Amino acid sequence: MSDLATAAPQRRGAAWELWRALSGRGTRLLAGLHQTWRRSLQVRVVTITLLASSLLVGGFAYLIADKITNILLENAEADVKTRLDSGAAYAGKQFGLYNQPQEAQFQETVDGTVNYLAGGDPQQTSGVVVALTADNFSGVIQPRTSPAVGNLNSVVSPELRATVAGGSVASQIRTGRLGEERTKYLVYGSPVPTRFGQVELYYLVPLTRQDSAATEARATVVATGAALVLLLGLLAALVTRLVVTPVRVAARTAQRLSAGLLDQRMVVNGEDDLALLAASFNQMATNLQRQILRLEEMSRLQRRFTSDVSHELRTPLTTVRMAADLIFAERDGFDPAVARSAELLQAELDRFEELLTDLLEISRFDAGFAALDAEPTDLVPVVHRVADRLTCLAERVGVTIELDVPAAPVIAEIDPRRVERVLRNLVGNAVEHGEGNPVRITLGVDDTAVAVTVRDHGVGLKPGEEKLVFNRFWRADPSRARQTGGTGLGLSTSLEDARLHGGWLEAWGAPGQGAQFRLTLPARAGDRLTTSPLRLVPADATLPFGGPRDGGLLAIGPGTAGALAVGPAPAGERAESRP
């Protein structure tokens, strides 16, 4: 008993494992078929052609087979009805000689008439059965059939006999056993009037030959239809191959062009529409190549111009700076208006020098010369240092800088100079747009990444502006007066610094709710980011009725120009949008 109790669960477990394996294989098969259906235009066209042609050919085959069957049946009915009419007339003449069914030799006349109508041979092999009955004289006239059969009632139904006995010609198709095998019969019955009353004459014609002919016709039609469907499928496959092959070649060529292989072209064969497509594609590729090379040359000249101008302006700027420093140091002895001019000159020179520094850094990024000097660094003092340097600026515009940093060190392999510059740009941008509200800096860390968020409660970003916030020289409100003297390159430079670290720089904003920027960097240089320890959408952001969370989300990763997504991001979320 214990062995049986142990074996039953084992069998159930084996059956369950078999079921899981089969269902898993079926699921993979369906997934593969679905993928093939989505990716292959040729498969879709051929499949649709086969289905449509199968339905059409199947409908025609059914109509043709039904028409052939009806024609065969109509011919059989016409033949039987003709024989029945002549047989009833002949039987009426033979029985018209008798006034009563009890007369001598009447039964012999009945037998002779039935045999004559059956062809004169009681053993004829045509299969047609002639029967004569007299329901009104069942005790006097015995039913006769030629050839002799066992049970006539197995084919002639009582309803048909009652109709014929009532004086009407009637017919039916019925399957019964008159001999060794069950056979389908076409039964026709007709009354035969005599002097003493009425007898009934029946013709039972087997439909074996007609059924065989109809079956052969259906088989022929089905075979022809199947061959036609296969031919249509093959034709559709060939036609779609002729069309799809150049399209696939064009797609592969376009992929190579997008990968930078600008010399790729399609082969032009013939003069048809596909050849025209290939020629047009090649012309387009040539024009694109010419335009791209022209733009690359213009970009190269622009980068060189920016770099050369930035370097050349260093020398006169140094001279002007020395003179301005001298004037600024002696401003207390000047007239108040002149002293104010000296202060303005010093401030604008600071802005000019900062602009030159940013332009030089941008030119290094554009030329691909920027290098990362990563080393293990504690981010806590970096955040404190940035906050301390911007405290005076924040106090001047009435903004309070709040810090939320861990007490323990936060170590990551970063370039401290570049990260400090990114944070300085983010905090300075938040102070400028904070509208006098507090700016909060939060530092977070997990096993793979570190993150810093800078949150302000200013005007925020309008829908669509999150796509432009990292563009060079772009401002959210060009009509607003600058208070911090920004160059318009800070966020663009910050983006490049984040990319150089293999990190993300992301922005969220909503009108009236302020904005939040998040910098996420890998804890170890060279690692790939998958999550961020801090959420991008602030917890205090409101969700409007019937729509997504206000504002947009711009997630920017290494090698991307930014991708827009909308919606909240839970703590520790993956970057909300990845191209």
Side-chain angles (χ1 to χ4, degrees):
M1 180 64 72
S2 61
D3 294 339
L4 293 176
T6 304
Q10 291 179 349
R11 286 194 298 269
R12 288 195 298 268
W16 173 247
E17 290 297 330
L18 178 61
W19 168 252
R20 288 182 58 186
L22 292 176
S23 39
R25 186 174 300 175
T27 302
R28 288 192 297 271
L29 178 60
L30 291 177
L33 292 176
H34 182 257
Q35 188 176 15
T36 303
W37 172 266
R38 290 184 56 192
R39 291 185 175 182
S40 178
L41 176 63
Q42 187 175 12
V43 169
R44 292 201 299 271
V45 172
V46 172
T47 303
I48 293 173
T49 302
L50 288 175
L51 291 177
S53 59
S54 297
L55 292 176
L56 184 62
V57 172
F60 275 114
Y62 174 79
L63 293 177
I64 293 173
D66 185 67
K67 187 67 174 177
I68 293 175
T69 303
N70 291 336
I71 290 174
L72 292 174
L73 183 60
E74 289 174 0
N75 291 338
E77 289 178 346
D79 180 65
V80 174
K81 196 169 186 311
T82 301
R83 296 178 63 178
L84 180 66
D85 292 340
S86 61
Y90 176 80
K93 292 180 181 179
Q94 295 297 319
F95 301 153
L97 303 175
Y98 299 93
N99 294 321
Q100 295 295 328
Q102 294 86 358
E103 294 183 16
Q105 297 183 347
F106 179 76
Q107 193 65 44
E108 288 80 358
T109 302
V110 170
D111 295 341
T113 301
V114 171
N115 291 332
Y116 175 80
L117 296 179
D121 182 8
Q123 303 298 326
Q124 56 91 16
T125 59
S126 64
V128 178
V129 178
V130 179
L132 193 145
T133 63
D135 290 347
N136 296 329
F137 304 96
S138 58
V140 179
I141 303 175
Q142 298 297 322
R144 291 290 183 268
T145 63
S146 180
V149 296
N151 185 12
L152 188 64
N153 293 328
S154 65
V155 176
V156 182
S157 65
E159 293 80 6
L160 178 64
R161 296 187 65 168
T163 303
V164 176
S168 301
V169 177
S171 65
Q172 69 175 174
I173 296 177
R174 191 171 182 181
T175 301
R177 186 187 299 273
L178 296 180
E180 297 180 356
E181 298 179 356
R182 290 180 60 84
T183 307
K184 181 188 294 185
Y185 286 93
L186 173 62
V187 182
Y188 258 88
S190 174
V192 178
T194 64
R195 294 181 179 179
F196 53 83
Q198 173 184 292
V199 296
E200 294 84 38
L201 177 65
Y202 295 94
Y203 275 80
L204 287 73
V205 179
L207 298 178
T208 305
R209 182 172 59 83
Q210 287 80 4
D211 282 346
S212 177
T215 301
E216 292 179 359
R218 282 194 294 269
T220 303
V221 170
V222 170
T224 304
L228 180 60
V229 169
L230 292 178
L231 181 62
L232 289 175
L234 180 60
L235 181 62
L238 293 176
V239 172
T240 53
R241 182 179 178 82
L242 290 176
V243 176
V244 169
T245 298
V247 174
R248 290 174 177 171
V249 173
R252 288 194 295 268
T253 306
Q255 290 175 352
R256 297 190 185 102
L257 289 173
S258 64
L261 304 176
L262 301 180
D263 59 341
Q264 296 295 309
R265 297 294 184 270
M266 294 180 61
V267 178
V268 180
N269 294 320
E271 300 179 356
D272 55 6
D273 294 337
L274 296 178
L276 179 60
L277 171 64
S280 301
F281 184 90
N282 291 340
Q283 183 64 36
M284 178 191 67
T286 302
N287 294 336
L288 286 176
Q289 181 182 17
R290 187 182 301 114
Q291 189 70 12
I292 290 173
L293 293 176
R294 178 171 172 269
L295 292 175
E296 287 179 348
E297 180 65 18
M298 291 178 60
S299 178
R300 186 184 64 82
L301 293 175
Q302 182 182 14
R303 291 195 300 268
R304 181 176 178 181
F305 174 78
T306 303
S307 178
D308 292 346
V309 168
S310 301
H311 282 90
E312 292 298 329
L313 287 177
R314 279 292 184 183
T315 301
L317 177 62
T318 303
T319 304
V320 175
R321 164 66 72 182
M322 293 173 60
D325 289 343
L326 180 61
I327 296 173
F328 184 77
E330 300 294 333
R331 69 185 184 280
D332 293 338
F334 297 156
D335 181 82
V338 178
R340 176 58 180 165
S341 298
E343 293 175 354
L344 292 176
L345 176 62
Q346 186 75 7
E348 292 303 316
L349 282 174
D350 290 339
R351 286 187 58 196
F352 189 39
E353 189 172 7
E354 183 181 353
L355 176 60
L356 283 180
T357 302
D358 289 341
L359 285 174
L360 285 172
E361 192 67 26
I362 287 293
S363 66
R364 293 191 191 97
F365 282 121
D366 290 341
F369 294 150
L372 186 69
D373 187 12
E375 59 184 27
T377 304
D378 184 4
L379 282 171
V380 174
V382 175
V383 174
H384 280 285
R385 189 161 56 248
V386 170
D388 293 340
R389 290 184 178 181
L390 293 173
T391 298
C392 294
L393 175 62
E395 291 176 351
R396 189 165 66 248
V397 297
V399 172
T400 303
I401 298 179
E402 302 174 351
L403 296 180
D404 181 8
V405 298
V410 177
I411 307 298
E413 295 180 6
I414 61 171
D415 187 336
R417 179 182 65 86
R418 294 183 183 277
V419 172
E420 184 173 344
R421 181 170 61 190
V422 172
L423 296 180
R424 189 168 60 249
N425 287 329
L426 295 180
V427 176
N429 183 73
V431 170
E432 179 184 356
H433 297 88
E435 300 292 327
N437 298 310
V439 172
R440 188 172 187 83
I441 307 174
T442 305
L443 174 63
V445 63
D446 60 15
D447 294 336
T448 60
V450 295
V452 180
T453 59
V454 179
R455 172 78 162 110
D456 69 72
H457 297 81
V459 295
L461 296 174
K462 298 177 182 177
E465 291 183 345
E466 64 279 351
K467 303 177 184 178
L468 308 172
V469 69
F470 292 102
N471 289 352
R472 300 175 185 180
F473 301 108
W474 183 85
R475 298 188 65 199
D477 187 1
S479 65
R480 295 178 70 250
R482 281 194 189 273
Q483 297 175 350
T484 61
T487 64
L489 294 173
L491 291 180
S492 179
T493 306
S494 301
L495 173 60
E496 298 296 341
D497 283 330
R499 288 175 174 172
L500 195 61
H501 281 82
W504 305 333
L505 183 57
E506 302 158 285
W508 172 90
Q513 300 188 54
Q516 178 162 292
F517 288 78
R518 180 179 67 180
L519 173 66
T520 307
L521 303 174
R524 288 173 294 277
D527 287 356
R528 180 180 178 86
L529 288 178
T530 57
T531 60
S532 180
L534 297 177
R535 60 183 296 154
L536 176 59
V537 180
D540 58 352
T542 59
L543 184 67
F545 177 77
R549 190 176 295 274
D550 278 353
L553 172 69
L554 186 66
I556 299 179
T560 68
L564 176 66
V566 177
E573 83 283 22
R574 183 180 177 88
E576 288 82 346
S577 177
R578 276 291 165 291

